[in-house]
Amino acid sequence: MNSLLRLHTQKLFLVGSMALLLTGLSAGLGAPKGMAAIDWVDVVGEGSTALALVVWLLMVLRSRPAGRVTNLLTLGLGFMFLAMWQDTLDEFYALAGTQAWESVVESVLMPIGLGLLTYGLWHWHKEQLSIRTQLLKREQVFRDHLWLDGLSQVARFEQIEATLASDWADEQAHQVALIVELHDFNQFERRYGYREADRLLRETGEYLILNLRQRDLICRVARDRLVILMPHTRPSEARDLAVNLRTAVEHFCFHLSGSDQRVEQVLDVGIGVRQPMDDPQALVKRATDALQSAAEGNGMSLVS
Amino acid sequence: MRPTIIHQHKESGAHTRRGGWLTAEDKYLQACYPMAQLLDLALASDVPQHKLLRGTGIFVEDLAPQAHMNGGVRFNIRQLAVLADNIAHYLPQDEIASRWGARLWPGYAGPFSQALATATDLGDFLQMLCEFRHWLAPGLVPCMSQYHGYRILHWQNVFGLSPRAEKLLSEAYMTALVSVTREQCQENNSGWICCPGQCDAAQLRRMRVYCGEETTVGAGGCFMAIPEAFLSRPWAAGSPRIRDMAIAQAKTLMTGIPAESFAEQVASYLSGRFPELPSLSDTASYFGVSSATLKRYLAVDGMRYQQVGDQIRLRYSLELMHFEGGNNEDIADALRLGDGANFRRSFRRWTGILPSEAREALSGRLPPLSVENNEDYSSPSYSSPKSAQSIRSQRQ
């Protein structure tokens, strides 16, 4: 079973047992309708709605940790499902007019469910806004879960491409692009192995994010190569920020697993400056050229 | 050190004995050889293990320490090919091929790796790589030639790998060569050009990070062009004495395992007859078997006779096109393909692109380099056809 779904077994048990209870009550207290009396169009319409609600419920539970928002969404979807389930059962069992509980289940649970779902979604919206603040430097204005990089937990290069393409008309928006790499990451990976290299990438990514401004965007190209976009930043400012990043990484303390050994890191930074006839690829290419001369020189280079 | 020819082309019929060649079904690769590294990387992903190992016949228990008793579990090239195909299918965005390549050599393949680790220079390294190719770069065969100061290294698919598996392995082996040279030479591989065949934008971006910004797509084949100057630069950890001891040990491990696949033997024979392409029946009678048997032997490795011939012609046409500046007519003439239009059609059938597109991809990127020694070099058993100069002089 999915590890997140395991957190919600009680909720699933509650919804499942209530659905069974309703089925038992309808079967026990009502009389089965003959095949001729069943309206199959209603069965398909109401049954598929109930089924869709169960699928939504499972999808929500599979993707969320426990908490208030999850409880509200579960209750909302659960009540709506039970109301639709009872509606479907109606098609198979005829209940006498005295069975008032049946109409209560159908008519009351649905609005209660809708109300709880709406309240839950409002809280979910607030939760999203706070998560968004945390993700800002990784995604800025676009989100596509397929762009999330599994290795470093920052977005992949497609995010940079989309951002540059959308803002390119504004010449002041992206005057510079930075490409950074850890000096000798290849040697590090060869010496200490994939697991340590993965951890170094993840931690360096997080550390760089901490040292960027709110409006900056960081993405990974491949291996340890990261691209940073600094909107509305002049080349001289970008150079100062790059110096800060390099200094920060020099003080970054990476300890190897299972030992006290510290491996110092040096960041190579290439800064590409946008020229009038450039397209986004040319800017990135210029930053890559700058990175190459930075790696061969003193660790930082600006190409305009 | 300048590489020398390791194996001469065999003209005798001794190697035509049934079972005298390596097939994709022969289990000879120990689990601790490159496979374990690849499995390590793939199994660390989120993709369920049963999907990655589907159809490979590999079980994780095969990699457990107790499985290495009594010689250990051995794998064959077919299993590696299926694993590579599964990885490329389920993890298309991941950098598994490049990351595997970045640490692949010298690696953990016992004496084979020891020999690589003590290579005195890149030329020495390539010579060993060719000799132990089925252990160090299983699945693909490195095939070398030399033009105007470049050592050209083609990665040939002689085991009928799927395009996805071929792409993954070629990316890994190219990365591996760049990575080991950078480490041993302590300098960047400026001037190297890696051409990974057809690949998407993401793979090209990735390969440029791993193999250098000169990496180019759409040149028509899967090859590397290495300036000859790199071949003789001394490597930091070079030690001829230890290397020779390791080579001797490695050869004892190879005892009883054929050095070549059947497709390689056929390719050697065809290369020797180049630019003529002997008929299937002529080739079959050279190997002392019927045409049907020859086709069946090739089919064991997923190859066809025409495919082997086409690989040789494509390789040679790429060399003429990119390194000799030959036009369609010249190449058609050299390959005995009739006129330029015929060559154009054939090239499109082999690669899916036009010769003009392939030329455009590397246009102006391969200036002739001056070299002290322009002696022709051809790689081991899967040797390159005759040099362009000799073909031209023949025509004249």
Side-chain angles (χ1 to χ4, degrees), chain B residues 122 180-188 230 233-236:
Chain B
L122 180 60
V180 74
T181 310
R182 277 183 186 164
E183 179 172 307
Q184 297 279 14
C185 245
Q186 302 289 323
E187 66 175 306
N188 223 336
F230 274 90
R233 284 182 197 164
W235 278 15

Side-chain angles (χ1 to χ4, degrees), chain A residues 264-278:
Chain A
E264 292 185 355
Q265 301 299 327
V266 175
L267 193 71
D268 291 330
V269 185
I271 306 170
V273 180
R274 179 177 174 170
Q275 298 300 308
M277 300 303 286
D278 272 358

Side-chain angles (χ1 to χ4, degrees), chain A residues 18-235:
Chain A
M18 284 189 71
L20 278 176
L21 181 67
L22 287 176
T23 314
L25 279 175
S26 295
L29 301 175
K33 289 182 181 175
M35 288 299 279
I38 294 174
D39 183 348
W40 289 102
V41 176
D42 270 8
V43 170
V44 170
E46 288 158 9
S48 57
T49 313
L51 196 66
L53 284 162
V54 169
V55 172
W56 295 353
L57 180 62
L58 288 173
M59 280 163 69
V60 165
L61 293 181
R62 278 189 66 154
S63 57
R64 292 193 55 87
R68 186 170 57 160
V69 177
T70 312
N71 289 343
L72 286 168
L73 295 177
T74 312
L75 283 174
L77 287 170
F79 279 143
M80 286 166 70
F81 161 68
L82 291 173
M84 288 313 296
W85 181 239
Q86 183 55 47
D87 223 4
T88 313
L89 289 173
D90 269 0
E91 304 301 324
F92 296 99
Y93 298 102
L95 289 161
T98 50
Q99 304 285 339
W101 62 271
E102 188 267 338
S103 57
V104 170
V105 167
E106 278 186 32
S107 315
V108 178
L109 285 192
M110 182 57 86
I112 291 179
L114 281 168
L116 286 170
L117 183 65
T118 311
Y119 187 53
L121 283 173
W122 182 66
H123 275 289
W124 172 79
H125 165 70
K126 284 170 63 176
E127 184 191 81
Q128 280 304 108
L129 287 181
S130 40
I131 292 173
R132 163 99 181 119
T133 316
Q134 291 176 15
L135 290 175
L136 195 61
K137 291 177 198 172
R138 301 170 202 235
E139 62 180 25
Q140 290 296 343
V141 288
F142 295 103
R143 178 177 297 175
D144 186 332
H145 68 283
L146 296 174
W147 292 348
L148 190 64
D149 182 63
L151 203 58
S152 60
Q153 300 301 314
V154 300
R156 282 204 301 265
F157 189 72
E158 286 84 345
Q159 187 92 45
I160 293 279
E161 282 179 325
T163 307
L164 281 177
S166 84
D167 298 346
W168 197 249
D170 178 4
E171 289 191 8
Q172 300 305 309
H174 296 290
Q175 297 175 47
V176 290
L178 271 71
I179 298 199
V180 304
E181 265 187 12
L182 290 175
H183 198 73
D184 283 341
F185 176 81
N186 193 29
Q187 300 269 6
F188 180 93
E189 188 171 56
R190 287 179 75 93
R191 183 172 301 167
Y192 300 112
Y194 298 123
R195 197 172 302 167
E196 288 300 287
D198 285 357
R199 201 163 65 81
L200 175 64
L201 275 185
R202 243 186 339 265
E203 292 188 9
T204 312
E206 295 289 339
Y207 190 68
L208 287 174
I209 285 171
L210 286 176
N211 285 281
L212 289 174
R213 300 166 306 176
Q214 200 70 11
R215 62 175 188 268
D216 299 335
L217 172 66
I218 183 166
C219 295
R220 193 169 78 96
V221 185
R223 203 178 58 189
D224 58 326
R225 185 173 294 182
L226 298 157
V227 186
I228 303 170
L229 286 186
M230 296 185 161
H232 300 286
T233 305
R234 288 192 304 277

Side-chain angles (χ1 to χ4, degrees), chain B residues 275-331:
Chain B
E276 298 297 335
L277 188 63
S279 68
L280 175 65
S281 54
D282 286 351
T283 309
S285 60
Y286 169 77
F287 283 93
V289 293
S290 69
S291 301
T293 307
L294 184 128
K295 283 203 275 192
R296 205 173 57 248
Y297 287 168
L298 285 173
V300 170
D301 291 339
M303 296 293 286
R304 286 173 296 109
Y305 179 70
Q306 184 67 36
Q307 202 178 348
V308 178
D310 286 349
Q311 281 184 352
I312 294 172
R313 295 199 288 193
L314 171 63
R315 198 169 73 228
Y316 184 50
S317 61
L318 290 172
E319 288 170 0
L320 281 182
M321 179 187 292
H322 295 307
F323 299 91
E324 290 280 332
N327 61 29
N328 288 0
E329 296 293 335
D330 288 343
I331 301 171

Side-chain angles (χ1 to χ4, degrees), chain B residues 71-350:
Chain B
V73 179
R74 286 170 191 257
F75 299 127
N76 60 29
I77 289 175
R78 181 71 54 232
Q79 289 175 296
L80 172 66
V82 177
L83 177 66
D85 191 77
N86 288 349
I87 291 172
H89 175 63
Y90 288 111
L91 297 162
Q93 297 282 357
D94 276 35
E95 298 173 29
I96 289 188
S98 292
R99 299 194 80 203
W100 180 45
R103 292 186 73 215
L104 186 59
W105 298 330
Y108 306 96
F112 299 105
S113 294
Q114 282 165 21
L116 288 188
T118 48
T120 51
D121 53 34
L122 180 60
D124 193 22
F125 183 93
L126 289 177
Q127 190 180 339
M128 285 189 277
L129 180 65
C130 287
E131 184 166 8
F132 304 133
R133 59 195 178 281
H134 294 305
W135 277 262
L136 295 165
L140 296 179
V141 166
C143 168
M144 281 192 284
S145 51
Q146 184 183 17
Y147 282 91
H148 297 306
Y150 291 97
R151 180 61 53 90
I152 303 141
L153 191 64
H154 297 268
W155 291 98
Q156 298 272 226
N157 176 3
V158 295
F159 288 105
L161 307 184
S162 70
R164 276 198 306 233
E166 184 184 357
K167 204 194 284 187
L168 185 139
L169 292 183
S170 61
E171 181 180 339
Y173 298 154
M174 285 192 196
T175 309
L177 190 56
V178 171
S179 172
V180 74
T181 310
R182 277 183 186 164
E183 179 172 307
Q184 297 279 14
C185 245
Q186 302 289 323
E187 66 175 306
N188 223 336
N189 59 323
S190 56
W192 289 40
I193 295 185
C194 297
C195 300
Q198 295 296 327
C199 64
D200 58 26
Q203 194 194 355
L204 179 62
R205 257 199 314 268
R206 191 164 70 219
M207 281 203 71
R208 283 188 170 158
V209 173
Y210 280 91
C211 296
E213 288 300 315
E214 295 294 307
T215 302
T216 300
V217 70
C222 180
F223 61 92
M224 305 169 82
I226 304 167
E228 288 277 335
F230 274 90
L231 270 76
S232 51
R233 284 182 197 164
W235 278 15
S239 165
R241 192 184 302 277
I242 301 176
R243 177 202 61 197
D244 291 344
M245 285 161 60
I247 288 176
Q249 267 189 317
K251 282 183 176 166
T252 60
L253 290 180
M254 291 165 68
T255 312
I257 299 169
E260 289 181 311
S261 73
F262 188 63
E264 283 179 277
Q265 292 184 1
V266 173
S268 285
Y269 170 71
L270 296 185
S271 294
R273 299 289 179 275
F274 192 83
E276 298 297 335
L277 188 63
S279 68
L280 175 65
S281 54
D282 286 351
T283 309
S285 60
Y286 169 77
F287 283 93
V289 293
S290 69
S291 301
T293 307
L294 184 128
K295 283 203 275 192
R296 205 173 57 248
Y297 287 168
L298 285 173
V300 170
D301 291 339
M303 296 293 286
R304 286 173 296 109
Y305 179 70
Q306 184 67 36
Q307 202 178 348
V308 178
D310 286 349
Q311 281 184 352
I312 294 172
R313 295 199 288 193
L314 171 63
R315 198 169 73 228
Y316 184 50
S317 61
L318 290 172
E319 288 170 0
L320 281 182
M321 179 187 292
H322 295 307
F323 299 91
E324 290 280 332
N327 61 29
N328 288 0
E329 296 293 335
D330 288 343
I331 301 171
D333 210 13
L335 298 180
R336 308 270 168 89
L337 273 176
D339 59 5
N342 257 348
F343 167 68
R344 198 164 167 270
R345 265 195 301 279
S346 300
F347 191 83
R348 190 166 196 175
R349 183 165 57 81
W350 300 331

